[in-house]
Amino acid sequence: MPESALDWAGQLSRLLDRAPSAEALIAEADAALIDLIIATERAKGRLAAAQARAEAAFWDAQIREQQRQGVPRGQRGRGIADQVALARRITPKQASDEVALHRVLLGSLPRTSELLEAGEISEYAARRVAENVLVLEEEDRARVDVDLADQLPSVTARRAGDLARARAQELDADAAVRRHQRAVADRRVSLQPAVDGMSILRATLPVKDGVAVLKVLTEAARSAKTAGDSRTKGQIMADTLTARSCGLESPMTSPSRSSCS
């Protein structure tokens, strides 16, 4: 009888419970430790492939169920990313993007998928390839997949993305333009909690806009430091960003004033 997904997940959990402890690893030879690093890295790729298959299967099953329930075509897919996000402890936007990439990987890049399933490449490398073929037609995606298959196991994840991007541009000169337009459309600002009552504000912007913002903040810091400001360059840049975003007349000069309220 074929093993169920739940049975396999249970076996995997029990296997991980038996992972060697830090104390046990102290007694291992260096060669054994390197072998363990190699084995776990390959396992991460294989697990990523299993997760990708599960996400794609879940998406397809949910779409079929929504279709059965009579959900209008334009509304199908709503709420699926939220469930994946909850399972993976990521945001719905991240989940939606991940599932989209996994569907491209499994549906259009069979050789790259096989390398990931075999642990020959990392999840990040597979993602980088998928990201760079998103804008291509199905036929061109397949050509990139074939052309890069022999190279991917021997290059870094970043190099894998660079190779995929270069080949995509060779096959479709307009792909770079469409990829840029897609990236610009995805510009956003996000906030992530940090320790000690702090937060991390991230902005994903076109290069020219990002450079312009950084230039303004850098010049503000340079000017303040020249005038004898005792704050660090980073503090001045952070305070200037907050002040200008909140419409304050001048940058704050102490943490207690660094608030828009």
Side-chain angles (χ1 to χ4, degrees):
M1 179 182 297
E3 185 179 48
S4 71
L6 189 58
D7 289 339
W8 183 84
Q11 291 185 35
L12 176 62
S13 179
R14 290 190 292 273
L15 177 62
L16 292 175
D17 287 340
R18 294 164 47 200
S21 65
E23 292 77 9
L25 292 177
I26 293 176
E28 294 286 350
D30 290 351
L33 295 176
I34 287 295
D35 287 343
L36 178 59
I37 292 172
I38 293 172
T40 51
E41 184 62 28
R42 291 174 66 90
K44 284 161 59 178
R46 301 183 72 176
L47 287 172
Q51 187 179 63
R53 291 194 300 269
E55 289 178 7
F58 178 74
W59 188 279
D60 291 341
Q62 289 288 294
I63 292 295
R64 289 194 298 271
E65 177 61 21
Q66 291 181 0
Q67 184 177 11
R68 187 190 67 79
Q69 294 177 357
V71 176
R73 181 182 298 272
Q75 297 179 19
R76 292 173 195 166
R78 291 184 179 179
I80 303 178
D82 298 79
Q83 298 180 71
V84 175
L86 184 61
R88 292 191 54 183
R89 299 189 181 105
I90 57 179
T91 68
K93 175 63 169 59
Q94 289 174 315
S96 179
D97 290 346
E98 288 284 299
V99 173
L101 287 176
H102 289 160
R103 290 172 64 82
V104 170
L105 178 66
L106 297 172
S108 304
L109 305 170
R111 289 168 178 78
T112 304
S113 296
E114 289 172 1
L115 290 172
L116 181 63
E117 291 172 356
E120 295 293 329
I121 62 174
S122 69
E123 178 185 15
Y124 184 48
R127 182 187 297 121
R128 293 283 289 148
V129 174
E131 287 173 345
N132 283 288
V133 302
L134 274 176
V135 294
L136 297 179
E137 298 295 332
E138 194 65 34
E139 181 179 352
D140 287 338
R141 290 179 181 178
R143 292 181 64 182
V144 172
D145 187 47
V146 171
D147 293 345
L148 298 188
D150 292 338
Q151 301 178 61
L152 293 181
S154 60
V155 301
T156 65
R158 177 173 294 184
R159 179 61 178 161
D162 291 343
L163 290 171
R165 184 186 304 110
R167 189 67 182 110
Q169 291 174 354
E170 290 176 359
L171 295 171
D172 186 349
D174 294 330
V177 175
R178 295 199 301 274
R179 187 167 54 248
H180 174 68
Q181 291 173 339
R182 181 187 179 92
V184 170
D186 195 38
R187 63 192 183 278
R188 60 191 181 278
V189 175
S190 61
L191 188 68
Q192 176 184 336
V195 298
D196 299 326
M198 302 297 285
S199 61
I200 300 172
L201 182 69
R202 287 192 175 95
T204 302
L205 306 169
V207 172
K208 63 180 181 63
D209 294 338
V211 170
V213 171
L214 184 62
K215 181 180 179 181
V216 168
L217 298 178
T218 301
E219 289 179 348
R222 184 182 299 114
S223 177
K225 294 297 288 184
T226 300
D229 198 310
S230 61
R231 290 173 297 170
T232 66
K233 176 183 176 182
Q235 289 172 340
I236 297 171
M237 293 173 71
D239 292 345
T240 301
L241 175 64
T242 302
R244 297 193 180 186
S245 298
C246 296
L248 304 179
E249 293 184 358
S250 60
M252 288 71 67
T253 57
S254 67
S256 62
R257 294 185 59 202
S258 57
S259 172
C260 294
S261 58

